[in-house]
Amino acid sequence: MSQIVALEKELVKAGAAVQDVVGEKGAAAAAAALATYEKMDPTQTGKALIGIGTPFKIAADGYMGLADTVSRASSASTTGTAEIVESAKHAASTMALMGKSPKEMLAMSAIMAQVGIEGSMAGVSIKEFYGQAAKQSAFKDAKGNLKSTTEIIKTLRESMKGKGTADQAVLLEKSFGERGG
């Protein structure tokens, strides 16, 4: 059995839909390409891509793009691909639910790594941040949708203007809790 067929079998066993796994742009091919480039285990990489892609409803032909975005996030960061993937596994469902893109989530994971928060800790922090932001009316539009990350950060900056660092920390703690802030 070829390695790709074995990988496809493992991904289907992990719960992926066959149509998302097979084909030259499917999850198995994307996982094999990413794993080869980043020197990772193909099966674990494939399971991670499926875990990230499923909440975002990524179709088979979108997995190669997802793998590329994962690799780019890692390259732009101070951390490795495995840590970016670990972060994304924890944040994906919340980010998808909030209408954010995988690209934005992976960029947030890379940014978190730049300040020393990596892997599952980054993913949980991102998940908590967006979960808490959704509870704040200042971060929602008129329809009740979460504003863009850029708008949220702009609102935060404006609310912290003129405050000392201790007062800023209190404001962030009040808005996001210990993990999300």
Side-chain angles (χ1 to χ4, degrees), residues 77-179:
S77 178
T78 57
T79 195
T81 302
E83 290 80 11
I84 294 288
V85 165
E86 184 65 23
S87 172
K89 285 186 338 188
H90 290 277
S93 60
T94 299
M95 293 289 286
L97 184 66
M98 299 292 173
K100 304 301 177 189
S101 72
K103 187 175 183 177
E104 183 174 8
M105 176 190 61
L106 293 164
M108 292 290 291
S109 296
I111 290 167
M112 295 292 283
Q114 299 292 62
V115 295
I117 305 170
E118 301 178 356
S120 61
M121 184 61 82
V124 170
S125 295
I126 293 166
K127 175 183 171 180
E128 294 287 327
F129 174 84
Y130 284 98
Q132 292 299 320
K135 296 176 184 177
Q136 308 290 323
S137 60
F139 303 136
K140 293 188 233 177
D141 65 18
K143 294 181 180 179
N145 296 313
L146 197 61
K147 291 180 179 178
S148 73
T149 302
T150 305
E151 290 174 295
I152 292 171
I153 292 169
K154 181 180 176 187
T155 302
L156 282 171
R157 282 189 178 141
E158 288 172 6
S159 68
M160 290 195 282
K161 269 186 188 166
K163 292 186 180 357
T165 56
D167 289 339
Q168 289 177 356
V170 169
L171 177 68
L172 290 173
E173 173 72 26
K174 195 183 280 186
S175 296
F176 298 103
E178 189 175 326
R179 277 192 162 168

Side-chain angles (χ1 to χ4, degrees), residues 18-39:
V18 173
Q19 65 269 19
D20 291 336
V21 172
V22 298
E24 62 185 42
K25 291 186 180 180
L34 181 61
T36 300
Y37 182 72
E38 299 288 348
K39 297 176 179 50

